């Protein structure tokens, strides 16, 4: 299927479906008519095989207590092996009702109130909440921003681990919002640093499948780095939700290779979180892992061409906008500070451009003047958003 045919078949109007992205604009932004480019989900219907599997399950009409079938494990383990050369064992896997929910759980399971938990900013804002809501000490290290190419500041990270007795490091890989896929070298270095100071690593790999240029920037799981040398000190969180647009089916994975850490997690969950699995989430996940690869490849092609369009148009017509290198995730990160005072960004984007975006200061207090736009959508929305930004920026300088 070519791209236009794919978009025609799968892109869908989401208004009046209780969509957070489309139907909560009045509440969240004070204006229901903005074009929503925020919230990391897609305007594309799930793979047809997923709809069919869900339809068949729903037709049965009973949703009583269920367990995870071997076929689910097989589908997910095969996916990780084939797509990422990641060999997982069934025993390592636990289920959650969302990656953020599991992040809260692991922070509680492995640290005590007051313990230092480090994150690299700017970062997906629930990371701040997960640390602070649980009364842990938030320790941040700012990524180094070299004209839209972001890297880790290893010296700063090491100094802060030492100074704050950091116990847990939560990484985002690929990193939302700056779009980096950390290389094997970067991952080796950060994981070695954490091992040196006995800092447990939580790797949020929910965006693992959204690779923009896999030939040059392949996703590297923290579990495969250095032939798995750091596996005993890493817990990976992931799920089918970003990959296959099934966030609200609430089915996610907690992957714990080390037996002692697993026991600690199980003890914690035994006390605080005795949930069942989500039967529809697992039905969808299994079908997606078994049959969704082609659909994903088509979605990736749309995301790539949306990104290329945005880059090319901005370079030609608003060249001082800095567009971060997009290697992973479908979220593009724009620096508008060459055109705007940072505190004028919000009004400019909402009032002038008519857009709802994620604002930079949500990801780091230092990043007012940046915006994050979601590219996993119908190209017509990306075109409109980009043209609105260009037109309004150019009016500023007229
Ligand atoms: C890095 C990251 N982690 C977690 C989530 C949310 O995961 P979930 O809906 O499974 O809680 C997102 C959603 O945008 C994300 O970008």
């Amino acid at each position: 299927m070519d791209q236009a045919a794919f978009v025609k078949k799968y892109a869908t109007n989401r208004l009046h479906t209780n969509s957070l992205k489309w139907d909560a604009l009045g509440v969240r932004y004070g204006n229901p008519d903005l074009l929503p480019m925020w919230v990391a989900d897609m305007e594309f219907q799930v793979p047809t095989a997923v709809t069919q599997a869900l339809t068949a399950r729903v037709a049965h009409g009973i949703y009583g207590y269920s367990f995870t079938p071997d076929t689910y494990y097989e589908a997910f383990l095969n996916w990780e092996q084939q797509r990422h050369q990641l060999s997982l064992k069934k025993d390592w896997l636990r289920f959650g009702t969302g990656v953020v929910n599991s992040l809260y759980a692991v922070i509680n399971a492995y640290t005590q109130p007051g313990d230092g938990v480090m994150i690299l900013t700017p970062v997906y804002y629930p990371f701040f909440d997960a640390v602070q809501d649980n009364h842990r000490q938030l320790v941040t290290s700012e990524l180094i921003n070299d004209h839209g190419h972001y890297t880790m500041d290893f010296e700063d990270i090491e100094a802060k681990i030492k100074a704050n007795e950091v116990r847990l490091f939560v990484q985002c890989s690929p990193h939302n919002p700056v779009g980096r896929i950390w290389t094997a070298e970067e991952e080796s270095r950060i994981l070695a640093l954490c091992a040196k100071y006995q800092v447990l690593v939580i790797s949020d790999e929910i965006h693992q499948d959204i690779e923009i240029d896999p030939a040059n920037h392949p996703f590297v799981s923290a579990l495969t780095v250095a032939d798995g040398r750091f596996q005993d000190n890493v817990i990976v969180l992931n799920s089918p939700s970003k990959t296959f647009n099934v966030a609200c089916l609430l089915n996610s994975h907690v992957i714990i290779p080390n037996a002692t850490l697993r026991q600690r997690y199980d003890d914690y969950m035994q006390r605080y979180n005795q949930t069942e699995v989500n039967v529809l989430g697992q039905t969808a996940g299994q079908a997606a892992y078994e049959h969704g690869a082609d659909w994903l490849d088509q979605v990736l092609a749309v995301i790539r061409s949306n990104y290329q369009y945005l880059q090319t148009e901005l370079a030609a017509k608003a060249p001082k906008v800095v567009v971060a290198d997009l290697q992973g995730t479908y979220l593009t990160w724009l620096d508008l500070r060459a055109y705007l005072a940072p505190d004028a960004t919000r009004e400019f984007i909402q009032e002038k451009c008519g857009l709802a975006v994620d604002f930079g200061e949500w990801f780091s207090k230092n990043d007012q003047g940046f915006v994050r736009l979601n590219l996993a959508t119908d190209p017509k929305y990306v075109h409109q958003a980009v043209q609105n930004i260009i037109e309004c920026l150019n009016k500023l300088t007229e």
Side-chain angles (χ1 to χ4, degrees):
M1 204 182 310
D2 71 13
Q3 218 178 97
F6 178 83
V7 170
K8 188 157 184 278
K9 177 167 178 194
Y10 287 97
T12 301
N13 183 349
R14 300 176 62 192
L15 275 172
H16 314 306
T17 62
N18 300 331
S19 151
L20 180 64
K21 189 185 205 168
W22 287 83
D23 294 323
L25 291 165
V27 176
R28 293 299 181 101
Y29 292 87
N31 179 354
D33 299 323
L34 300 176
L35 175 64
M37 303 300 288
W38 66 308
V39 180
D41 62 19
M42 309 184 192
E43 273 57 72
F44 300 118
Q45 284 187 2
V46 295
T48 305
V50 174
T51 303
Q52 285 168 346
L54 285 171
T55 306
R57 187 64 188 77
V58 167
H60 183 248
I62 293 176
Y63 312 102
Y65 295 108
S66 306
F67 60 88
T68 305
D70 282 344
T71 46
Y72 183 94
Y73 288 98
E74 265 165 51
F76 174 58
L77 267 48
N78 281 341
W79 178 268
E80 292 293 355
Q81 185 67 53
Q82 282 165 15
R83 205 99 192 167
H84 303 296
Q85 297 74 53
L86 173 56
S87 303
L88 298 176
K89 297 204 169 72
K90 182 182 166 186
D91 289 0
W92 299 354
L93 202 57
R94 300 292 181 269
F95 295 98
T97 52
V99 164
V100 171
N101 191 267
S102 296
L103 182 58
Y104 274 67
V106 291
I107 285 175
N108 277 294
Y110 296 104
T111 65
Q112 299 298 322
D115 282 351
V117 179
M118 176 175 269
I119 60 176
L120 304 183
T121 57
V123 76
Y124 178 57
Y125 33 89
F127 280 26
F128 293 86
D129 300 335
V131 177
Q132 290 174 317
D133 288 349
N134 289 302
H135 309 290
R136 271 55 174 175
Q137 187 200 346
L138 180 69
V139 183
T140 61
S141 175
E142 195 79 9
L143 294 169
I144 298 168
N145 176 9
D146 180 10
H147 207 71
H149 181 73
Y150 285 81
T151 48
M152 298 185 198
D153 185 342
F154 291 102
E155 282 73 33
D156 185 61
I157 292 170
E158 182 161 14
K160 284 180 175 160
I161 286 178
K162 282 201 273 190
N164 298 285
E165 293 181 29
V166 167
R167 301 290 311 277
L168 199 68
F169 176 77
V170 184
Q171 73 167 8
C172 193
S173 171
H175 192 105
N176 168 10
V178 305
R180 277 299 316 279
I181 290 186
W182 306 116
T183 62
E185 289 70 30
E186 288 170 309
E187 279 293 285
S188 285
R189 201 165 160 192
I190 193 70
L191 295 181
L193 201 55
C194 288
K196 179 175 168 190
Y197 293 100
Q198 283 140 36
V199 175
L200 178 64
V201 176
I202 308 301
S203 189
D204 177 341
E205 301 185 356
I206 195 169
H207 295 280
Q208 65 166 10
D209 298 310
I210 315 297
E211 298 168 283
I212 303 303
D213 179 13
N216 292 306
H217 303 290
F219 168 68
V220 181
S221 170
L223 297 178
T224 55
V225 170
D227 295 325
R229 190 186 325 148
F230 300 106
Q231 278 185 355
D232 278 339
N233 194 43
V234 172
I235 295 174
V236 163
L237 309 179
N238 71 18
S239 85
S241 69
K242 297 293 153 202
T243 308
F244 295 110
N245 202 23
V246 290
C248 254
L249 287 176
L250 302 184
N251 170 52
S252 60
H253 308 133
V254 181
I255 304 166
I256 316 175
N258 177 274
T260 310
L261 291 177
R262 221 161 42 233
Q263 188 60 51
R264 185 153 167 181
Y265 178 83
D266 289 344
D267 289 346
Y268 175 82
M269 296 307 267
Q270 173 80 16
R271 278 179 290 147
Y272 295 111
N273 206 348
Q274 297 209 20
T275 60
E276 299 294 329
V277 296
N278 183 324
V279 70
L280 293 181
Q282 295 206 333
T283 299
Q286 181 180 326
Y289 289 127
E290 284 174 350
H291 307 292
D294 288 347
W295 176 95
L296 174 61
D297 290 337
Q298 307 244 30
V299 167
L300 288 172
V302 176
I303 295 166
R304 284 182 198 115
S305 82
N306 282 342
Y307 179 60
Q308 205 169 20
Y309 174 86
L310 172 135
Q311 262 189 320
T312 314
E313 284 293 296
L314 289 176
K317 298 174 187 160
K320 287 187 281 183
V321 175
V322 182
V323 182
D325 283 351
L326 189 65
Q327 301 173 351
T329 84
Y330 49 69
L331 307 161
T332 184
W333 179 242
L334 310 181
D335 179 354
L336 303 176
R337 292 173 305 170
Y339 290 95
L340 289 166
D343 63 1
T345 309
R346 194 173 180 129
E347 196 196 335
F348 173 81
I349 288 287
Q350 290 188 206
E351 310 300 322
K352 300 256 178 7
C353 304
L355 304 176
V357 303
D358 291 64
F359 290 104
E361 61 271 28
W362 299 356
F363 301 86
S364 163
K365 62 179 180 348
N366 301 326
D367 282 356
Q368 204 174 37
F370 291 75
V371 294
R372 192 195 77 174
L373 267 66
N374 181 341
L375 300 175
T377 190
D378 190 322
K380 73 181 180 195
Y381 298 133
V382 174
H383 295 192
Q384 188 182 332
V386 169
Q387 291 310 327
N388 288 5
I389 291 173
I390 288 171
E391 223 171 87
C392 297
L393 284 178
N394 286 333
K395 272 194 203 138
L396 288 177
T397 50
E398 267 168 13

